[in-house]
Amino acid sequence: MSLNHFYKKDIVSINDFSRDDLNRIFKYTDNFKLLDHSIKGELGKGRTLGYLFYEPSTRTRMSFESAMASLGGSSIGIVDSKISSIEKGESLADTIRIMDMYSDVIVLRHPFDGSSKFAAELAENPIINAGSGSEEHPTQAMLDLYTIFKEKGNIDGLVIGIVGDLKYGRTVYSLLYGLAKYDVNVYLISPPSLAIRKESVYEIEKNLKLKEYNYLYDDVLKKLDILYVTRIQKERFPDIQEYEKVKGTYKVDSSVLEKSKIDISIMHPLPRVDEIDYRIDETKNAIYFKQARYGKELRATLLTLILNENPFNEE
Ligand code: NCD
């Protein structure tokens, strides 16, 4: 029996996963979807997922919890630091140590860069980074890449635009690190004050061609197979007046679709605020809700792989 590569593995950064690893996760997700409910329900039986969310979440927490339930496991956790001992001044380290005793895998979202790495060094059980400051959100990027793969049949060869808050959006960084493992062209579109942090993409720029624009120009739009839209991360602005200056500066609406390829796919990690017109939801180009659905399936697969030595009975 071979030990699966992801058994007991932390998911701190997508950089720790090779292209081969990612492609394997996509294949496993396809396999997982075909399993009977009763088989799925054995994969996490008697196991507990512990979640610690020091920042708001809808999809990430619910998809992990729902994924764990589908595996026959249960979830415990903290979503509101005000009603836990965090409010009494308990440190992140102590909170992690305790959760490590009560669960088999920990899902952590925290406002500090480096928080998941810190937790992984401390915990015996695997840590899944569900958002570390404006640094990374690796499982979001995995599900984003899986969505692209399912929608387009391939990732290599695609032209991908990423629009929005490229300075603070952690999903953008994990996605770029993931895309750097494929052969793609990437256009980055943002107001100048929300441009990508150069020091965070320095390494990947050796493999990935990044072209930067301050506006969604028609010439750029025409080329795109995917447009990945992000929310301005209001909560990360040190000065709210700076947020006011950029708020509402870009919006994907029907005029954008008219100028795009007929089969352009519009993605968004969600939540959306005002950056995608609701009328886009009805078009076949909008795949952001499908993306959220894939999130549960991919996360259930990741949990399966982390919790079981050889869940897919490989020789
Ligand atoms: C994102 C996050 O928390 O980084 N949300 C998510 O997990 N889908 C995106 C965001 O908050 O804008």
Side-chain angles (χ1 to χ4, degrees), residues 55-61 109 130-131 133 136-137 140 143 168-171 228 230-233 235-236 268-272 275 299:
E55 288 187 342
S57 170
T58 297
R59 274 148 295 273
T60 306
R61 187 185 60 79
R109 171 171 289 184
E136 274 218 55
H137 190 351
Q140 178 69 45
L143 77 90
Y168 297 118
R170 55 192 170 205
T171 67
Y228 187 95
T230 65
R231 167 183 76 89
I232 299 188
Q233 310 278 299
E235 68 278 22
R236 305 220 187 274
H268 195 308
L270 301 175
R272 110 178 100 176
E275 57 280 355
R299 285 175 173 136

Side-chain angles (χ1 to χ4, degrees), residues 96-108:
I96 294 287
R97 279 189 191 101
I98 299 303
M99 187 53 104
D100 200 27
M101 296 172 196
Y102 297 163
S103 62
D104 301 289
V105 53
I106 299 177
V107 177
L108 173 68

Side-chain angles (χ1 to χ4, degrees), residues 57-122:
S57 170
T58 297
R59 274 148 295 273
T60 306
R61 187 185 60 79
M62 292 204 303
S63 62
F64 268 115
E65 196 166 344
S66 164
M68 193 61 181
S70 72
L71 303 181
S74 55
S75 302
I76 55 168
I78 296 171
V79 283
D80 181 357
S81 54
K82 295 256 178 310
I83 57 161
S84 74
S85 291
I86 297 166
E87 177 70 5
K88 299 181 189 166
E90 187 155 51
S91 66
L92 174 63
D94 285 357
T95 310
I96 294 287
R97 279 189 191 101
I98 299 303
M99 187 53 104
D100 200 27
M101 296 172 196
Y102 297 163
S103 62
D104 301 289
V105 53
I106 299 177
V107 177
L108 173 68
R109 171 171 289 184
H110 192 278
F112 290 171
D113 290 16
S115 47
S116 274
K117 186 165 185 291
F118 170 74
E121 283 162 5
L122 210 70

Side-chain angles (χ1 to χ4, degrees), residues 2-58:
S2 67
L3 204 67
N4 108 66
H5 191 61
F6 307 99
Y7 181 53
K8 293 193 172 170
K9 194 170 158 79
D10 296 306
I11 306 182
V12 170
S13 166
I14 196 162
N15 282 323
D16 300 334
F17 292 76
S18 67
R19 174 185 166 116
D20 215 42
D21 288 338
L22 295 174
N23 290 341
R24 252 190 288 175
I25 290 168
F26 303 157
K27 195 186 87 198
Y28 285 136
T29 305
D30 284 342
N31 293 348
F32 176 84
K33 289 199 279 194
L34 298 174
L35 296 177
D36 264 9
H37 280 300
S38 57
I39 294 174
K40 285 182 186 165
E42 292 294 321
L43 295 167
K45 208 167 193 168
R47 318 295 276 283
T48 303
L49 176 144
Y51 54 79
L52 296 170
F53 279 75
Y54 289 74
E55 288 187 342
S57 170
T58 297

Side-chain angles (χ1 to χ4, degrees), residues 159 187 213 215-224 259:
V159 182
Y187 289 82
Y213 292 86
Y215 182 77
L216 209 41
Y217 291 105
D218 296 2
D219 280 355
V220 171
L221 257 183
K222 282 202 300 238
K223 297 193 175 101
L224 303 180
K259 293 177 211 144

Side-chain angles (χ1 to χ4, degrees), residues 14-15 19 145 148 155-162 171-188 196 198 200-212:
I14 196 162
N15 282 323
R19 174 185 166 116
L145 292 168
I148 295 173
I155 300 177
D156 287 327
L158 294 178
V159 182
I160 298 167
I162 308 181
T171 67
V172 172
Y173 289 89
S174 289
L175 180 59
L176 286 173
Y177 303 155
L179 286 173
K181 299 170 200 297
Y182 296 86
D183 178 20
V184 292
N185 276 305
V186 174
Y187 289 82
L188 299 174
I196 204 87
K198 282 283 169 221
S200 301
V201 292
Y202 175 77
E203 273 301 315
I204 56 159
E205 275 198 286
K206 292 169 192 157
N207 308 322
L208 188 65
K209 274 190 239 66
L210 300 173
K211 297 184 199 75
E212 291 189 73

Side-chain angles (χ1 to χ4, degrees), residues 138-154:
T139 65
Q140 178 69 45
M142 288 177 188
L143 77 90
D144 294 339
L145 292 168
Y146 181 66
T147 305
I148 295 173
F149 172 66
K150 295 306 279 181
E151 201 62 21
K152 302 293 187 191
N154 212 341

